[in-house]
Amino acid sequence: GQQLNQSPQSMFIQEGEDVSMNCTSSSIFNTWLWYKQEPGEGPVLLIALYKAGELTSNGRLTAQFGITRKDSFLNISASIPSDVGIYFCAGLWSSGNTPLVFGKGTRLSVIA
Amino acid sequence: GAGVSQSPRYKVAKRGQDVALRCDPISGHVSLFWYQQALGQGPEFLTYFQNEAQLDKSGLPSDRFFAERPEGSVSTLKIQRTQQEDSAVYLCASSSRDRGSTGELFFGEGSRLTVL
């Protein structure tokens, strides 16, 4: 089946640093999304991308839909302690008949 | 509440027991999804409902897993004769649009199942 490869698997950063993580796929996706999950909670949508090459921001978060449609990245600027969590990329292969596929996540730890 | 509500939050079952997990989606949401999340993994798709119709159950791992949404609102995921490998967090998500339109899902907090 379709698989999404996320990297890095985990990262430890100092408060105030910028963060970059990415997601690649062997398949083309029509939609890329980034979710964040905190302990004991369900994933929460951060950013959705619908066009190849699209660059979208949500506060300190910026995500891009790769032009090959096989990758996406997420940047977090000036990290703060509440950015701690697991960040999942997710891809939707086509409209109508396929489920949303998730990567395995990037675990972010922020050291104050 | 305004969000997706799942119960129970935690369930411990002895191997071989049947369990039922409930999901109350956001009011008016037509699409409902069940995902399974093993420890340290991303969510994996189990099944999808559009209103009361189960349109996709391709992710259900075995015939011990059964889901229903009889009135197009609340859904129940039932696992019969639980096995240790069924231990996971079961996430329910809903959307106001049909599956193909968007991947923008609203997730519940999940039901953590531990099978001893």
Side-chain angles (χ1 to χ4, degrees):
Chain A
Q2 300 154 20
Q3 291 195 344
L4 298 182
N5 299 307
Q6 275 191 255
S7 64
Q9 285 188 331
S10 63
M11 46 196 322
F12 291 81
I13 61 166
Q14 292 280 349
E15 183 177 358
E17 286 185 352
D18 296 345
V19 174
S20 184
M21 60 189 77
N22 66 66
C23 192
T24 60
S25 169
S26 57
S27 303
I28 289 173
F29 286 100
N30 292 335
T31 303
W32 283 95
L33 307 105
W34 287 90
Y35 284 81
K36 179 187 178 187
Q37 186 175 29
E38 298 185 19
E41 303 291 327
V44 175
L45 180 65
L46 299 174
I47 291 180
L49 301 155
Y50 296 102
K51 285 186 183 177
E54 181 181 354
L55 186 72
T56 297
S57 293
N58 178 7
R60 293 178 296 104
L61 278 60
T62 301
Q64 184 158 28
F65 189 145
I67 56 172
T68 65
R69 295 163 65 192
K70 290 184 177 182
D71 62 347
S72 177
F73 73 75
L74 176 70
N75 286 344
I76 305 172
S77 63
S79 58
I80 59 178
S82 62
D83 290 334
V84 165
I86 304 176
Y87 291 80
F88 291 101
C89 63
L92 194 59
W93 181 55
S94 70
S95 296
N97 296 318
T98 57
L100 189 61
V101 176
F102 284 82
K104 293 187 177 182
T106 292
R107 182 181 295 273
L108 178 64
S109 300
V110 179
I111 303 167
Chain B
V4 177
S5 178
Q6 292 189 244
S7 62
R9 289 291 314 277
Y10 303 93
K11 176 68 178 178
V12 179
K14 291 183 178 178
R15 190 174 57 176
Q17 279 186 333
D18 297 348
V19 300
L21 308 176
R22 174 189 168 105
C23 174
D24 203 337
I26 293 172
S27 178
H29 277 196
V30 299
S31 292
L32 185 145
F33 305 78
W34 283 98
Y35 279 81
Q36 181 190 58
Q37 186 174 24
L39 191 63
Q41 302 295 314
E44 299 224 355
F45 172 78
L46 293 176
T47 187
Y48 163 66
F49 290 86
Q50 185 169 308
N51 297 306
E52 69 279 1
Q54 189 176 19
L55 298 186
D56 187 348
K57 51 182 181 179
S58 61
L60 296 177
S62 78
D63 59 7
R64 296 185 296 103
F65 286 71
F66 171 77
E68 60 183 4
R69 193 186 185 196
E71 297 178 0
S73 178
V74 171
S75 177
T76 303
L77 176 67
K78 297 179 180 177
I79 309 173
Q80 297 176 324
R81 303 181 304 281
T82 52
Q83 304 293 316
Q84 285 189 323
E85 62 263 28
D86 300 335
S87 296
V89 175
Y90 290 86
L91 294 164
C92 177
S94 70
S95 170
S96 61
R97 301 169 69 178
D98 64 57
R99 175 169 69 174
S101 301
T102 176
E104 298 179 24
L105 305 183
F106 294 85
F107 281 87
E109 294 175 315
S111 292
R112 179 180 294 277
L113 172 65
T114 303
V115 181
L116 303 177

Coordinates of all heavy atoms in Angstrom, one line a residue, chain B residues 2 12 25 39 44 50 52 64 85 103 112:
Chain B
A2 N -18.8 20.3 21.5 CA -18.7 20.6 20.1 C -17.9 19.7 19.3 O -17.9 19.7 18.1 CB -18.3 22.1 19.9
V12 N -9.6 -2.0 29.4 CA -8.7 -3.2 29.5 C -9.5 -4.4 29.4 O -10.6 -4.5 30.0 CB -8.0 -3.2 30.9 CG1 -7.1 -4.4 31.1 CG2 -7.2 -1.9 31.1
P25 N -19.9 11.7 16.6 CA -19.2 12.7 15.8 C -19.8 14.1 16.0 O -20.8 14.3 16.7 CB -19.5 12.2 14.4 CG -20.8 11.5 14.5 CD -20.8 10.9 15.9
L39 N 1.2 1.9 19.2 CA 2.2 2.7 19.9 C 3.4 3.1 19.0 O 4.0 2.3 18.3 CB 2.8 1.9 21.1 CG 3.6 2.7 22.1 CD1 2.7 3.8 22.8 CD2 4.1 1.7 23.2
E44 N -3.8 4.4 11.3 CA -4.0 3.5 10.1 C -5.5 3.4 9.9 O -6.2 3.0 10.9 CB -3.3 2.2 10.3 CG -1.8 2.3 10.4 CD -1.1 1.2 9.6 OE1 -1.8 0.4 9.0 OE2 0.1 1.3 9.6
Q50 N -20.3 7.1 5.1 CA -21.0 8.3 4.7 C -22.4 8.2 5.1 O -23.2 7.3 4.6 CB -20.9 8.5 3.2 CG -21.4 9.8 2.7 CD -21.1 10.1 1.2 OE1 -19.9 10.0 0.9 NE2 -22.0 10.4 0.4
E52 N -25.2 6.7 7.0 CA -25.3 5.3 7.6 C -24.6 4.2 6.8 O -24.5 3.1 7.2 CB -26.8 5.0 7.9 CG -27.6 4.7 6.6 CD -28.1 6.0 6.0 OE1 -27.7 7.1 6.5 OE2 -28.8 5.9 5.0
R64 N -13.0 -10.2 12.9 CA -13.4 -10.0 14.3 C -13.7 -8.5 14.5 O -14.3 -8.2 15.5 CB -12.2 -10.3 15.2 CG -11.8 -11.8 15.2 CD -10.7 -12.1 16.2 NE -9.5 -11.5 15.9 CZ -9.0 -10.4 16.6 NH1 -9.8 -9.9 17.6 NH2 -7.9 -9.9 16.3
E85 N -2.6 -8.4 19.9 CA -2.2 -7.5 18.9 C -3.3 -6.4 18.6 O -3.1 -5.5 17.8 CB -1.9 -8.2 17.6 CG -3.1 -9.0 17.0 CD -3.0 -10.5 17.4 OE1 -2.5 -10.8 18.5 OE2 -3.6 -11.3 16.6
G103 N -9.1 16.1 3.1 CA -8.6 15.2 4.2 C -8.7 15.9 5.5 O -8.1 15.5 6.5
R112 N -8.2 4.0 24.2 CA -7.0 3.2 24.3 C -7.4 1.8 24.8 O -8.0 1.7 25.9 CB -6.0 3.8 25.3 CG -4.8 3.0 25.5 CD -3.8 3.6 26.4 NE -3.3 4.9 25.9 CZ -2.3 5.0 25.0 NH1 -1.6 3.9 24.6 NH2 -1.9 6.1 24.6

